[in-house]
Amino acid sequence: MKVQRRYQACLLAFSVLLAALPATGFTAPPVAIPVAYRINSDWQPAASQAQGQTNEPFKFGKVDLELLAQINLLDQRFEKEGLVYHEAALDAYLERVGTAMAADHEIENVNWRFRALRDPEPNALALPNGSIYISTGMLALLEEESQLASVLAHEVIHVTERHAYQQNRSLRKKVLAINIVGTIGAWTPGATGLGLALSTISPLMLLLSVSGYSRELEREADLEGLKKFSAAGYEPDQMVKMIRLLQMDIEGEQIHTFYSDHPKLQERVNYLSSNIKSSPDKQPDQQLVDPRTQYLTQMEIVDRHDVSLAINNGRFRSALYVSNKLVNFHPDSSENVYYLAESYRALGPRTPALTPAELTGGAKKKAVKDRHKR
């Protein structure tokens, strides 16, 4: 078994290495991926102009339709495995906020749906068919509706700009004939939940949703998403505040999602803050939406569910963070007090906050490894 796993790991490493090499002997549809953006109110891709590219309508090719079929299967798998968290009020709430961010975007092969995933790790992902998922961990971390809107606006841009198809075409030039589907599926025999569904259906979406798109595509999603959700009446600064929430290293793992890696969180804070300061469209404070109380009330049931998920997944400090948030918001609730007590029970002899020794690189790696074993 050890030899087999070592062989599978080596094969995966070789696949990734090969993907990094220039492609030869393989032809794929040309795709223009922007590499630079002017940070101002125009927000136009500078690279496409420099290369003489035109903004032609996206045309589906065979490889795009194949990816779309995979993604539709992935949607079905999420529901079948019980990964989607359904609660009538939450479904309606996500649909309302998400639809506002997707307004005026009726495009081919896209059916907008906004749903929550049972996953205590803060994350969000957009499937190119219009299904946008936000984890219960992300919902519990956020503090205002405007922060939720900023996440959904970012994901909507990934769909409208066809980023998944662009990335798929780019990867196909490099991967060649390596069957990464089988490699990843065999390499993660202990995967459960979201990781299992992704690894057995679409390796591309596994890579994109966990590691993220290219830095340039993430930057485009940030800037265009900021423009969209600001125009909807939300406070622009809340997108920056959302990213700062992600910078909290509650579990000593730096949140292994594209939100922290592509590009780096502080870089995102810098260019978004610069854009907000220079934007002429910033609205007067009295016109901005302030839905904090509404959001926390809406998320109270979801947060309790996320505390249970966090405890079951060994994310004890995250459970404590969310349960403290619940009690501070609604101290008279016996249910909230119960979840706080359960969080302390699960925390056991551990300190509520990570110690300096636990924040070292080696300690973080060991903590993640131990969590995966559990």
Side-chain angles (χ1 to χ4, degrees), residues 196-215:
L196 176 62
L198 286 168
S199 64
T200 57
I201 294 293
S202 174
L204 170 69
M205 296 314 299
L206 173 66
L207 294 173
L208 297 190
S209 61
V210 175
S211 299
Y213 296 90
S214 69
R215 187 169 297 233

Side-chain angles (χ1 to χ4, degrees), residues 74-360:
L74 181 60
D75 250 341
Q76 297 173 22
R77 185 65 176 268
F78 282 163
E79 290 285 358
K80 182 179 179 181
E81 296 293 332
L83 296 174
V84 182
Y85 177 81
H86 284 299
E87 194 269 324
L90 176 64
D91 289 344
Y93 185 65
L94 292 178
E95 193 69 22
R96 177 178 68 78
V97 179
T99 300
M101 296 301 100
D104 303 323
H105 284 295
E106 295 184 6
I107 55 180
E108 185 181 6
N109 290 326
V110 169
N111 179 27
W112 295 110
R113 290 187 293 181
F114 302 88
R115 292 174 285 185
L117 278 179
R118 302 177 190 271
D119 185 354
E121 186 171 347
N123 204 351
L125 63 99
L127 303 186
N129 64 357
S131 291
I132 293 179
Y133 295 93
I134 184 167
S135 70
T136 56
M138 178 68 87
L139 292 172
L141 184 67
L142 303 179
E143 297 178 338
E144 294 191 15
E145 181 180 301
S146 53
Q147 295 169 4
L148 169 63
S150 73
V151 174
L152 297 183
H154 177 105
E155 300 304 328
V156 163
I157 296 300
H158 280 314
V159 178
T160 61
E161 298 305 312
R162 309 290 196 178
H163 287 170
Y165 296 113
Q166 291 186 37
Q167 197 90 330
N168 184 39
R169 292 174 177 182
S170 177
L171 287 174
R172 284 176 67 89
K173 293 179 181 180
K174 301 174 182 178
V175 173
L176 303 180
I178 297 296
N179 186 352
I180 296 184
V181 176
T183 302
I184 293 181
W187 186 62
T188 56
T192 58
L194 176 59
L196 176 62
L198 286 168
S199 64
T200 57
I201 294 293
S202 174
L204 170 69
M205 296 314 299
L206 173 66
L207 294 173
L208 297 190
S209 61
V210 175
S211 299
Y213 296 90
S214 69
R215 187 169 297 233
E216 292 77 22
L217 296 185
E218 293 295 349
R219 183 185 180 100
E220 180 180 21
D222 272 342
L223 296 180
E224 292 298 324
L226 174 63
K227 181 179 179 181
K228 177 175 291 295
F229 104 106
S230 298
Y234 293 103
E235 183 181 359
D237 289 341
Q238 289 298 329
M239 179 174 275
V240 174
K241 292 180 180 178
M242 178 272 293
I243 297 174
R244 292 198 184 281
L245 286 174
L246 290 167
Q247 286 181 308
M248 295 190 301
D249 201 5
I250 297 175
E251 295 291 342
E253 61 190 6
Q254 293 298 333
I255 307 178
H256 298 296
T257 68
F258 70 80
Y259 274 107
S260 63
D261 293 334
H262 294 268
K264 296 298 183 182
L265 285 174
Q266 190 55 48
E267 180 184 341
R268 294 180 68 190
V269 168
N270 293 342
Y271 67 65
L272 283 170
S273 298
S274 175
N275 189 278
I276 291 171
K277 291 178 182 178
S278 62
S279 173
D281 299 326
K282 185 172 181 179
Q283 303 178 40
D285 291 344
Q286 63 269 22
Q287 297 180 9
L288 300 177
V289 180
D290 182 21
R292 178 181 174 84
T293 299
Q294 177 190 3
Y295 180 81
L296 294 178
T297 301
Q298 182 71 56
M299 294 298 154
E300 193 165 17
I301 295 176
V302 184
D303 287 355
R304 291 169 186 160
H305 183 72
D306 188 68
V307 170
S308 296
L309 290 175
I311 291 175
N312 291 338
N313 282 270
R315 303 177 65 85
F316 307 122
R317 291 183 174 90
S318 294
L320 185 61
Y321 177 87
V322 177
S323 57
N324 266 314
K325 179 180 172 182
L326 283 168
V327 171
N328 290 336
F329 173 67
H330 193 177
D332 296 332
S333 168
S334 59
E335 289 184 84
N336 292 347
V337 173
Y338 165 78
Y339 280 103
L340 179 60
E342 281 296 286
S343 298
Y344 272 112
R345 180 192 62 78
L347 184 69
R350 305 171 187 86
T351 58
L354 291 168
T355 64
E358 292 173 309
L359 286 170
T360 62

